[in-house]
Amino acid sequence: MSTATPDIDILPAQPFARQEGDVVSRVAHSLDQLQQLAELLAVEDGYVPAVRDFIVPKNFKLSVVIPVYNEERTIQQVLTRVAALPVPKEIVIVDDASTDGTRQILSQYECAADVHVIFKPQNEGKGAALRTAFRRVTGDVVIVQDADLEYDPRDIMTVIKPIVCGEADVVYGSRFLKAAGPLRVPATQNGTWSGPTTLVHRLGNRLLTAASNTFTGLRITDMETCYKAFRRDVIRSFEIQQHRFGFEPEVTAKIARRKLRVVEAPVSYTARGYAEGKKIGIKDLCNALFCIVRYGMWD
């Protein structure tokens, strides 16, 4: 009695070889990108990388989230400086459908180690970009970094320190504070904050912060700051609803409602004008006031 031999498909070796070659190619490309970042940092005249003055736990990782829209002039420099931070990290970049050369620049870093680039098909705003990024992060601490270099990435170490050291759940980097030993006091005219390019922005910022404090019960000095750092479980505990700059009052109100430990840390600031690409305006100011009232009352 004969037994039929079943048909056996033997996979050719070529696809595996091709796959292995692709992996090697991606690794090599990643190393090239890291080398490129290091070289870019080296040619920046007078730039001194940040120094870490605290201990990070074993296996700690920081997630730096960068929403981007039409920042071809500064995005590469921002990435270079963030990559130089002396802490284990990942960089999550969300391009909000840029129309200049930003997307082409970012496409070069898609394979770089610990750099995740997300391209959105249509422009929705900063809040929507951050919502996308927060779903992707894997770090223990998450911080927002703008792509326009108004904020110096070296200050990130100052902002995340209270969270890493177990002293806070959320930290806001305030442009109105200056360091004074262990205390943080309001900055004077000789402080580190250079102020917005127009009186409208300066007064608007103070108005919004005061209104936000009234509804939240917090006593912060700079609600509109870019530098907001969170424990990952905190920023994952609620969903961001605002698409644009309403993110700032929304997230502040939701944090306050959860009775989290919120502190501020002093940061520097170099303002830019509309000619240089500043995007926030009077319409956003009005929407922020609405969001302060809206999210100050309920989630």
Side-chain angles (χ1 to χ4, degrees), residues 237-239 241 250 253-255 257-258 294-299:
S237 66
F238 50 82
E239 184 82 354
Q241 298 174 336
E250 177 189 354
K254 290 182 176 180
I255 285 169
R257 184 171 293 107
R258 286 157 177 78
R294 157 71 175 84
Y295 295 104
M297 298 177 66
W298 68 89
D299 272 6

Side-chain angles (χ1 to χ4, degrees), residues 2-295:
S2 62
T3 303
T5 303
D7 293 331
I8 300 176
D9 294 329
I10 301 177
L11 297 176
Q14 186 177 1
F16 178 79
R18 187 185 302 117
Q19 183 181 16
E20 185 178 22
D22 290 343
V23 172
V24 173
S25 176
R26 288 197 299 268
V27 171
H29 185 66
S30 296
L31 292 175
D32 289 341
Q33 295 301 325
L34 291 176
Q35 178 65 27
Q36 184 181 17
L37 288 174
E39 291 173 354
L40 285 170
L41 187 63
V43 299
E44 280 199 67
D45 294 334
Y47 186 79
V48 180
V51 176
R52 175 164 52 87
D53 62 354
F54 55 92
I55 299 174
V56 298
K58 184 179 180 180
N59 299 322
F60 172 84
K61 182 166 68 175
L62 171 69
S63 293
V64 182
V65 172
I66 308 178
V68 185
Y69 178 66
N70 287 353
E71 300 290 359
E72 64 177 349
R73 292 186 299 174
T74 56
I75 183 58
Q76 207 158 16
Q77 196 173 17
V78 169
L79 287 176
T80 300
R81 295 184 177 190
V82 171
L85 292 173
V87 64
K89 62 193 163 296
E90 66 174 358
I91 306 174
V92 181
I93 310 159
V94 179
D95 180 84
D96 198 20
S98 293
T99 56
D100 61 357
T102 301
R103 293 172 78 89
Q104 288 72 25
I105 294 172
L106 292 178
S107 64
Q108 303 174 24
Y109 298 98
E110 286 186 276
C111 296
D114 297 319
V115 176
H116 311 290
V117 184
I118 303 169
F119 294 105
K120 302 199 73 171
Q122 62 183 24
N123 179 266
E124 294 184 288
K126 179 179 179 179
L130 290 175
R131 181 169 60 239
T132 298
F134 291 152
R135 292 169 179 167
R136 180 70 179 268
V137 296
T138 60
D140 304 283
V141 176
V142 181
I143 188 167
V144 179
Q145 167 72 54
D146 279 350
D148 55 12
L149 279 183
E150 285 189 319
Y151 293 82
D152 188 341
R154 287 175 290 196
D155 287 331
I156 287 177
M157 304 310 295
T158 300
V159 176
I160 69 170
K161 181 178 178 179
I163 301 179
V164 177
C165 295
E167 300 170 357
D169 304 308
V170 178
V171 181
Y172 279 26
S174 175
R175 296 164 288 179
F176 295 96
L177 298 183
K178 67 177 182 179
L183 302 176
R184 303 181 178 95
V185 298
T188 63
Q189 292 180 349
N190 296 321
T192 57
W193 184 69
S194 63
T197 54
T198 68
L199 181 61
V200 171
H201 286 119
R202 182 180 302 185
L203 294 178
N205 193 307
R206 291 186 179 276
L207 169 66
L208 293 175
T209 297
S212 176
N213 286 344
T214 300
F215 278 87
T216 63
L218 297 176
R219 297 182 62 185
I220 58 178
T221 62
D222 195 0
M223 183 270 294
E224 287 288 316
T225 181
C226 154
Y227 275 153
K228 292 178 172 67
F230 320 86
R231 292 199 332 260
R232 185 182 64 189
D233 62 303
V234 168
I235 199 59
R236 288 276 190 82
S237 66
F238 50 82
E239 184 82 354
I240 300 301
Q241 298 174 336
Q242 288 296 305
H243 290 331
R244 286 180 53 80
F245 296 101
F247 160 79
E248 316 291 356
E250 177 189 354
V251 74
T252 301
K254 290 182 176 180
I255 285 169
R257 184 171 293 107
R258 286 157 177 78
K259 308 299 181 182
L260 298 166
R261 296 173 299 167
V262 182
V263 302
E264 291 185 295
V267 299
S268 58
Y269 182 67
T270 303
R272 68 174 183 171
Y274 289 107
E276 299 169 291
K278 195 172 187 68
K279 302 174 182 69
I280 193 169
I282 296 297
K283 184 176 181 180
D284 294 300
L285 172 65
C286 296
N287 182 63
L289 286 170
F290 165 78
C291 291
I292 287 171
V293 177
R294 157 71 175 84
Y295 295 104

